[in-house]
Amino acid sequence: MADSAQESTMDRILQEILAVGRRLEGMDGEMASLTAETKSICMDIAGFQTHLLGLEQRVTTVEAQATSFQDRDQEVLFLCSKMTDLEDRSRRDNVRFPGFPENIEGDDIQALLWETRPKLTGFTFDPPLEFQRAHRLGPRRFDMATRPRPIIA
């Protein structure tokens, strides 16, 4: 009886081992499938990394170009203001007013011209004249005995 109990225990152990073996064979197939999927995912990640590196290089190039465009925009704005200034200072529309003593204008040279222009010319304009800019020519003179600088408007 001990031998038959021992044989039945051995049969059960053998059946359990065979069942574990069959499960392991199924797991081996699943492991091969998981390995293939993992390799596929790794290849996809490598492709994404390559694509991402390309995008980073393009972004770097675009950022450099944007900085260059900002510099150009500033240069264009500077040149436009310089051109406007040169157009405003063009001598073809300027009027010279010589003989005004130094410092008679105070802080507002245009106000002086608005007050004295009708007296100098003897008539008014309709529409009124516009002074875009008015200033003295040349460097400031502190010696009142020298000839005063003309006003240009």
Side-chain angles (χ1 to χ4, degrees):
M1 196 161 195
D3 283 334
S4 85
Q6 195 175 16
E7 271 183 41
S8 98
T9 303
M10 292 293 264
D11 284 339
R12 274 191 318 210
I13 291 174
L14 184 60
Q15 287 175 359
E16 297 252 348
I17 289 174
L18 289 174
V20 168
R22 280 186 293 246
R23 278 193 236 145
L24 285 176
E25 285 175 6
M27 287 178 142
D28 190 34
E30 288 179 19
M31 283 300 286
S33 172
L34 286 175
T35 302
E37 282 184 47
T38 303
K39 285 181 182 179
S40 173
I41 290 171
C42 286
M43 289 174 57
D44 289 345
I45 289 173
F48 289 141
Q49 285 176 334
T50 303
H51 186 68
L52 186 60
L53 286 174
L55 291 175
E56 285 177 352
Q57 289 173 349
R58 290 174 63 188
V59 166
T60 303
T61 303
V62 168
E63 286 174 341
Q65 288 175 347
T67 302
S68 174
F69 289 146
Q70 289 171 348
D71 293 343
R72 286 183 188 153
D73 286 348
Q74 289 176 353
E75 184 179 359
V76 166
L77 288 174
F78 172 74
L79 292 174
C80 283
S81 70
K82 190 172 181 179
M83 182 184 69
T84 301
D85 187 51
L86 289 172
E87 287 174 348
D88 287 347
R89 290 179 187 252
S90 172
R91 292 180 181 244
R92 65 176 177 252
D93 291 335
N94 289 341
V95 178
R96 291 172 56 106
F97 297 94
F100 283 95
E102 291 286 332
N103 299 325
I104 193 173
E105 68 270 7
D107 290 337
D108 192 2
I109 200 166
Q110 286 190 6
L112 171 71
L113 292 176
W114 276 107
E115 290 174 19
T116 58
R117 186 197 37 81
K119 295 174 192 170
L120 292 173
T121 60
F123 55 91
T124 58
F125 294 94
D126 189 28
L129 290 178
E130 287 185 35
F131 296 116
Q132 292 176 339
R133 182 176 293 174
H135 57 92
R136 294 255 186 191
L137 289 178
R140 173 166 264 164
R141 296 184 184 154
F142 296 101
D143 181 12
M144 295 302 172
T146 61
R147 193 175 78 206
R149 298 175 297 154
I151 296 173
I152 187 167

